[in-house]
Amino acid sequence: MESKKETLERKDLPQELKWDLESMYKDVGEWEKDYNKAKEMAKNFDSHKGEAVSSSENLYNTLKDKDELYRLASNLYSYTHMKLDEDTRDGKSQALSDKGLSLYIEVEEKTSFLVPEILTLDLNVLEKYYEEKPELKLYKKYIDNILRQKSHVLSAREESILAQVGEIGSAPEKIYSMLSDADLKFPVIKDEDGKDVEITHGNFIPLMESKNRDVRKNAFEALYNTYEGFKNTFAAALSGDLKKNIFNANIRNYKSSREASLDTNNIPLSVYDNLINSVHNNLDSMYKYMEIRKRALEVEELHMYDLYTPIVKDVDFKIPYKEGVELVKKALVPLGEEYMDVVEEGFSSRWIDVYENRGKRSGAYSSGSYDSKPFILLNYHDTLDNVFTTAHEMGHSIHSYFTRKNQPFVYGNYSIFVAEVASTANESLLMDYMLKNVVDKNERLYLLNHYLESFRTTVFRQTMFAEFEKIINEHLEKGESLTADYLCEEYKKLNELYYGPSVVVDDEIAIEWARIPHFYYNYYVFQYATGYSAAVALSQKVLEEGKESVDKYLNFLKSGSSDYPLNVLKLAGVDMTTEEPVNNAMKLFSKLVDEMDKLI
């Protein structure tokens, strides 16, 4: 099956192109059995309250029971959120997702006493516990991390209250998702062939890549004018979400929500600030790239709807899914046999939900639980960009696979800070493979353009998002209001700064913040840019140094959260506490811009 212009109902898609959620639960009845089991486990966990740290035996049993409870609850919740994402219009899936989320919130509330109790432990007593109960050493890193954040943990009662209001706190993001993904309807426009096509989240970027400027302009204006009509609702939802984060930061004795978010992974604020500073210092290269784009497209004015279309003429990479899969496989061979065995398993064992269907969640992601397959959601169209998305999400899922196979549950996930490294390294290897095997000058230019676009969207654009997050959070933290007009004004200013004098920053782009779900992820996006920089460094090491670097890289993928993310990356060969990785990525971007300038 090839992707089609019309969006199908889910039942009309072939089974082999849909992910295998049945491997988690055959049906809702089976899910309900585990749900009832988890409810009982959560109820019984109360027996540990007040006794968790009274002996080494009690501490170990409490931590073991907590892991078992979270392991089951995360499996239940993962299933429901992926089931809902298959068709966000489905009322039964919405209800099941609510039930799964409510259970997870209940588990957080039932276990909320544990951290405050651990914080009452005397360090000498804790060392004695490790001697008495050697099995307890499994949790040493977990306990050390709790003690590190001692000044930010509240009393058992206060932690319980915070956990109980967790479901309320998730409301703004849920409202955003329902409005943006389920309720919002976009207009129909004419495509390149003059046929009617309804704009969707999944086909918007392919439309923006169109060679026909009228198609791009019409899609751009239609989508953003739709968001403009709901700007006050989107502003209220975003404001509510950020206020929740600020409240949680304040009550936990942090100076800002940014400090609170980064401290989760022991990341200093300087890493965030260094990123913004490094990108600001290299904006001249972006401005030069925009000048090349304007010249190549032969337009009097370069508009925001001109930024995604390839600037190389007479090259049209139309890559059906099966061909894209083969490209990805060939590109990842330098990562070795152990890695490639998992790649083969991923593509052949229904990890992936391939095509868009009506009501399906937009975008792409890797998900799943400790005990499930590391599933991948795609909305595949036959574009080069979608091939890179496939490589990207496969990188996430293989990272999850190796982590879960090599770490116990307590360390069986990797931190957000390193989450984008494995995915982006895959993209870098794919680009390297394609550049080495291309012979046509125009195709090489096309690939260079794509690589530069990857930098633009992943380093420059995500850093712009990160700076926007910083600005609007600080605005709220000063006691100011987050109105739609303020958000639009600040967002447009940043676009003008990041894209420079060669670009007409159209008024419509000011509302783009309303369609970015990552602004609800509490300082997530900066890690795309830092992760990209680390990934470029690691992929180059794999290509240049071979087996030694491959082994280090695989060890990184297997490390999970067994150490702090900055330390895990250092062992792999990248030090993100310095500006060097970002500056090196900027140098590569500048080099690619210069090559394109000479060839075009």
Side-chain angles (χ1 to χ4, degrees):
M1 172 185 172
E2 306 301 339
S3 60
K4 299 180 182 297
K5 289 185 184 298
E6 68 270 20
T7 307
L8 300 176
E9 292 293 338
R10 186 164 185 84
K11 63 182 176 59
D12 298 322
L13 293 171
Q15 191 76 353
E16 66 270 16
L17 296 174
K18 294 187 281 191
W19 54 19
D20 179 26
L21 293 192
E22 296 82 9
S23 62
M24 295 182 75
Y25 294 104
K26 285 186 293 186
D27 52 37
V28 174
E30 192 174 84
W31 184 90
E32 289 283 357
K33 288 179 183 177
D34 264 5
Y35 173 82
N36 292 331
K37 180 181 176 183
K39 291 281 284 187
E40 188 66 22
M41 289 169 67
K43 180 182 176 183
N44 292 339
F45 198 78
D46 275 341
S47 64
H48 293 295
K49 199 170 186 177
E51 300 293 330
V53 299
S54 60
S55 70
S56 58
E57 186 75 19
N58 282 357
L59 180 55
Y60 175 74
N61 287 335
T62 303
L63 291 171
K64 182 168 67 71
D65 287 352
K66 178 189 73 73
D67 279 359
E68 289 174 1
L69 176 55
Y70 268 98
R71 187 167 174 173
L72 185 56
S74 64
N75 205 52
L76 289 160
Y77 175 67
S78 293
Y79 175 82
T80 62
H81 97 73
M82 288 187 289
K83 194 67 181 170
L84 176 60
D85 288 345
E86 291 180 349
D87 187 349
T88 59
R89 305 166 303 172
D90 188 280
K92 290 181 180 178
S93 293
Q94 290 174 12
L96 199 68
S97 178
D98 286 345
K99 200 170 178 179
L101 177 60
S102 294
L103 171 68
Y104 206 86
I105 298 296
E106 181 183 348
V107 168
E108 289 184 327
E109 190 277 323
K110 290 290 188 182
T111 59
S112 62
F113 68 84
L114 180 55
V115 168
E117 287 195 28
I118 288 174
L119 289 170
T120 66
L121 270 172
D122 181 271
L123 290 179
N124 291 326
V125 172
L126 184 58
E127 287 302 319
K128 181 184 172 187
Y129 282 0
Y130 289 137
E131 291 177 16
E132 289 177 355
K133 188 78 173 173
E135 301 97 319
L136 188 58
K137 290 179 181 177
L138 168 67
Y139 294 99
K140 189 175 188 308
K141 163 67 171 56
Y142 169 80
I143 294 170
D144 286 348
N145 194 43
I146 290 172
L147 297 176
R148 177 183 67 81
Q149 300 179 80
K150 185 169 185 175
S151 62
H152 304 295
V153 178
L154 308 177
S155 70
R157 173 160 171 74
E158 288 167 333
E159 290 290 345
S160 173
I161 292 169
L162 278 182
Q164 289 178 64
V165 300
E167 192 167 4
I168 300 170
S170 69
E173 182 184 356
K174 187 173 181 182
I175 291 166
Y176 163 80
S177 179
M178 287 295 108
L179 177 57
S180 183
D181 293 331
D183 294 341
L184 217 58
K185 302 299 177 190
F186 300 107
V188 172
I189 65 166
K190 299 289 186 185
D191 66 9
E192 291 180 353
D193 302 320
K195 296 178 181 177
D196 287 344
V197 57
E198 179 186 346
I199 298 171
T200 66
H201 291 292
N203 70 16
F204 176 64
I205 294 301
L207 287 169
M208 292 294 287
E209 293 171 344
S210 171
K211 294 177 181 178
N212 187 315
R213 201 179 194 202
D214 287 336
V215 172
R216 302 197 302 267
K217 184 174 186 290
N218 291 339
F220 178 84
E221 291 177 350
L223 182 125
Y224 287 121
N225 286 338
T226 303
Y227 275 98
E228 177 74 19
F230 296 88
K231 68 178 183 180
N232 294 309
T233 304
F234 281 113
L238 182 57
S239 179
D241 196 68
L242 300 188
K243 284 179 178 177
K244 170 202 69 180
N245 297 334
I246 292 168
F247 167 79
N248 286 334
N250 288 341
I251 208 165
R252 292 190 181 282
N253 304 310
Y254 286 103
K255 294 175 183 176
S256 67
S257 58
R258 185 165 68 110
E259 182 186 43
S261 177
L262 269 62
D263 189 51
T264 302
N265 291 308
N266 204 18
I267 308 294
L269 290 177
S270 59
V271 172
Y272 198 104
D273 295 330
N274 287 344
L275 169 67
I276 294 173
N277 291 335
S278 292
V279 172
H280 277 197
N281 290 336
N282 288 277
L283 286 173
D284 285 349
S285 296
M286 172 58 73
Y287 298 166
K288 183 175 181 180
Y289 175 47
M290 291 297 103
E291 289 167 6
I292 295 170
R293 175 170 279 277
K294 182 179 179 181
R295 186 172 84 232
L297 291 176
E298 298 177 338
V299 293
E300 289 186 16
E301 292 182 338
L302 186 70
H303 286 260
M304 299 302 290
Y305 48 79
D306 296 320
L307 298 188
Y308 286 90
T309 188
I311 61 179
V312 183
K313 297 178 181 178
D314 302 322
V315 177
D316 190 12
F317 278 100
K318 287 292 184 185
I319 307 175
Y321 177 67
K322 286 184 180 178
E323 290 180 22
V325 167
E326 291 308 310
L327 259 178
V328 172
K329 287 180 183 179
K330 290 173 183 175
L332 300 181
V333 166
L335 290 172
E337 186 178 347
E338 185 179 2
Y339 191 94
M340 289 309 299
D341 285 346
V342 185
V343 171
E344 291 288 350
E345 181 181 340
F347 282 124
S348 63
S349 301
R350 289 183 60 201
W351 286 11
I352 307 173
D353 206 76
V354 179
Y355 289 114
E356 184 178 13
N357 57 256
R358 289 192 177 275
K360 184 177 175 181
R361 184 195 187 276
S362 62
Y365 66 62
S366 168
S367 189
S369 67
Y370 186 82
D371 293 302
S372 79
K373 297 176 180 180
F375 291 108
I376 295 171
L377 180 137
L378 297 177
N379 283 277
Y380 194 92
H381 291 256
D382 297 347
T383 65
L384 182 64
D385 188 58
N386 276 215
V387 179
F388 277 87
T389 298
T390 303
H392 180 100
E393 300 304 337
M394 185 57 75
H396 280 309
S397 283
I398 293 179
H399 193 178
S400 298
Y401 179 95
F402 277 125
T403 292
R404 294 165 187 167
K405 291 290 183 183
N406 290 277
Q407 295 295 332
F409 178 79
V410 66
Y411 308 124
N413 202 355
Y414 41 85
S415 75
I416 289 174
F417 187 75
V418 300
E420 296 304 327
V421 174
S423 54
T424 311
N426 273 13
E427 289 194 68
S428 296
L429 291 169
L430 176 57
M431 179 55 73
D432 181 82
Y433 174 83
M434 295 187 77
L435 283 172
K436 283 176 179 173
N437 288 278
V438 71
V439 291
D440 182 79
K441 176 189 170 184
N442 272 359
E443 288 187 355
R444 182 172 185 82
L445 276 169
Y446 188 99
L447 291 170
L448 283 171
N449 176 202
H450 191 277
Y451 207 176
L452 290 169
E453 280 300 287
S454 182
F455 270 93
R456 178 181 73 81
T457 57
T458 311
V459 181
F460 287 93
R461 191 163 183 258
Q462 301 298 334
T463 302
M464 183 182 78
F465 286 172
E467 188 169 0
F468 180 66
E469 273 194 277
K470 184 173 182 283
I471 288 169
I472 63 177
N473 273 284
E474 288 176 351
H475 185 74
L476 271 178
E477 285 165 344
K478 290 174 185 173
E480 303 291 341
S481 297
L482 210 60
T483 64
D485 288 342
Y486 171 81
L487 289 164
C488 290
E489 181 184 347
E490 292 300 317
Y491 194 81
K492 189 176 182 188
K493 274 191 219 172
L494 283 174
N495 274 271
E496 290 167 346
L497 170 65
Y498 276 73
Y499 288 109
S502 295
V503 180
V504 176
V505 179
D506 303 278
D507 289 339
E508 288 87 352
I509 203 65
I511 192 65
E512 186 184 37
W513 58 266
R515 66 175 280 261
I516 309 298
H518 296 76
F519 291 142
Y520 293 81
Y521 298 177
N522 195 17
Y523 289 105
Y524 185 99
V525 292
F526 87 100
Q527 294 157 128
Y528 283 109
T530 54
Y532 191 97
S533 302
V536 167
L538 290 172
S539 61
Q540 290 303 307
K541 284 176 179 291
V542 164
L543 291 167
E544 293 167 7
E545 299 171 9
K547 188 177 185 308
E548 182 181 351
S549 284
V550 168
D551 290 344
K552 285 183 179 179
Y553 182 67
L554 289 179
N555 285 334
F556 156 71
L557 296 182
K558 295 172 182 178
S559 296
S561 56
S562 61
D563 200 351
Y564 295 120
L566 288 176
N567 295 339
V568 169
L569 279 174
K570 280 180 185 176
L571 290 174
V574 178
D575 186 355
M576 294 306 298
T577 63
T578 70
E579 293 188 17
E580 184 181 5
V582 179
N583 285 336
N584 285 343
M586 291 293 94
K587 286 176 187 174
L588 177 57
F589 178 80
S590 180
K591 178 183 174 184
L592 294 168
V593 168
D594 289 343
E595 181 181 353
M596 174 162 268
D597 194 26
K598 291 172 184 174
L599 289 175
I600 206 155

